[in-house]
Each structure stands twice: as structure tokens, then as C-alpha cells.
Amino acid sequence: MESVFEGFCTGSEVLTKYADRWSKVSFGVPVLDRLTGGGISCRGIFELAGDPGAGKTQIALKLALSAQHGVPGSSVVYICTEHLFPSSRLLQMEAAHKRQYPEDDTVHAHNFADHILVEHARCVPTLLTCLFDQLPKLLEKTKISVLIIDSITSPFVEEKNYIQRAETFRSLVHRLHHLQEQHNFATLVTNQVRSVIDSATLDDQRNVPALGLAWSTLVHTRLQLSRKMNSNERRCCVVFGPSLTPKHGFYQINELGPVDAI
């Protein structure tokens, strides 16, 4: 896409002159909004990486509900690559969400689940077809506030041609940036983690996001999630983000989904 020079403006003017461009979509979880300065930006790729059971999908579902509050009349696109879409869990969270607003008739009348548009893409070709062909056609007639890919890892984990895989990453992200520029929506991807051990000492095991540096260099903001064994408490750390400082917070999972830890 050829960019159009729009003229210089001051650092303070850019926030008002292009407000839609730099708006954020709330997670609906106070601790996550505090860590990210209000939620997910409508520019760039926002990643949640974390341990199994840390709550990546739960946060994604909560975001899908919250986004419809923040951008009335919008829908959410949810692409599953690992498992069937958790419809029963979504409906449970939707019912709990409505109970939070007993006096708000608008919330009670809104069918949140009907505005979450689900697709399954188990392999790279299917995922690319979805993002390069189906999604642009949808965006021409439907306003979306968030695109969720849960997870980005699964289609690529068996790819052994790492040069080709890196090229596919760049092509995919370039396409999403182009669509964000046209339609102003946030993009959240979840990512698995893998264990690495310090090769010098053969200890100091730690979990790092999957897919390596080729993918990491294309991510705008990354949060990493972890959980304590035999506990409902989870930890969220800011790994990097252009306007964020490294910090962490704690959350739990209940019928509402992710909530601040008590």
C-alpha cells in the first residue's frame, strides 16, 4: 500500500487529529487495562503468550465481550486454530457479564455471542486464505473492533522451512497492518511458550514465547502469562511495548472469566 503524506503535526496533536487510529479496546479486566494503558491499540500486533491454563483463551473471550461495549455496533472476528470455539464458556461469561449491569436494558437486549464471528483454521494455507481473502470481504460490509487469532502458534509449529516460515510471518503481518489502516481494528494473537535451558550451565530453565525471533520482531506489544501450581492466581507481565514500562499484575478466573486477583 502506498502511504499518503498527511503533513507534520505535534506530538500532542496526533492524539486528537488521528484519535481513531490510536484508540484502544479495553480488555474488560482492570489489571490488564492498567498494565497496558487502557487495552489493545488499533495498530500493530498485540500478543498474549503463556503457559497452558494461564487463561489466554479466557482473556480473549472477555475481550470479545468487552469490545462490543467499547465500540457499539461492532463485531469481533475470532479465528480458532487449536480447538473448537468454546461456545458454552462464552455463553456462561456473557450471562455473568449481563448480571453486572442489572439496570442497563441495552446490555440485556444485546446478544453478544451473535456478534462474534468464528472461523476455524487448522493449517497455514487455511489461515492465509481466511486473512487474505475472507477477512477483507467481511470488512467491506461489517464493522469489527477486534480480530483474535487463538493461537498463532498451532498452524506454524510443524513448519520446518524456517526461511519460508519467516517470509509468511512478514506477509501475514503486513496484510494485517494494511487492513488495520483501512478499517481501524485491534488485533490480538495468543502464543504458546516453550522451555529453554541455559546452555552454559544446563539449568536456569525458563519459558519463552514460541516461533522464535522471526515472529517476535513483528509483534508490537507482548504480555506473558503464567500460573501458580494448585492455585487460581495467574501472573501477567509486560514483556515489551513501545509505550509501556515493564511491570506485572495478578488475576484470577471465575464465572466472569479473568478478574483482578483478590
Side-chain angles (χ1 to χ4, degrees), residues 14-138:
V14 73
L15 296 177
T16 54
K17 188 175 181 180
Y18 306 113
D20 289 344
R21 192 177 294 179
W22 310 118
S23 62
K24 290 190 173 184
V25 179
S26 168
F27 281 102
V29 186
V31 64
L32 300 182
D33 285 345
R34 289 194 298 270
L35 290 174
T36 56
I40 300 178
S41 171
C42 288
R43 291 295 183 276
I45 307 300
F46 194 110
E47 181 189 272
L48 285 180
D51 302 339
K56 299 185 292 296
T57 295
Q58 303 272 348
I59 292 173
L61 292 175
K62 184 75 170 185
L63 174 66
L65 295 173
S66 177
Q68 296 179 54
H69 252 150
V71 188
S74 69
S75 296
V76 173
V77 172
Y78 199 117
I79 301 174
C80 296
T81 68
E82 295 183 30
H83 46 69
L84 289 176
F85 180 76
S87 299
S88 59
R89 177 58 173 143
L90 173 68
L91 294 175
Q92 181 186 40
M93 289 172 61
E94 179 182 0
H97 180 77
K98 289 183 175 181
R99 287 196 293 272
Q100 286 188 297
Y101 303 91
E103 308 299 326
D104 194 328
D105 293 336
T106 303
V107 171
H108 284 267
H110 184 66
N111 192 329
F112 289 84
D114 281 352
H115 294 272
I116 300 175
L117 310 176
V118 179
E119 182 59 276
H120 292 87
R122 303 300 178 91
C123 62
V124 174
T126 304
L127 178 62
L128 295 181
T129 297
C130 182
L131 296 177
F132 282 66
D133 184 27
Q134 296 176 0
L135 181 60
K137 292 176 181 177
L138 174 69

Side-chain angles (χ1 to χ4, degrees), residues 47 169 191 209-222 240:
E47 181 189 272
F169 288 157
N191 193 359
L211 301 181
L213 189 60
W215 169 254
S216 292
T217 57
L218 300 170
V219 173
H220 177 274
T221 301
R222 170 177 282 162
F240 59 76

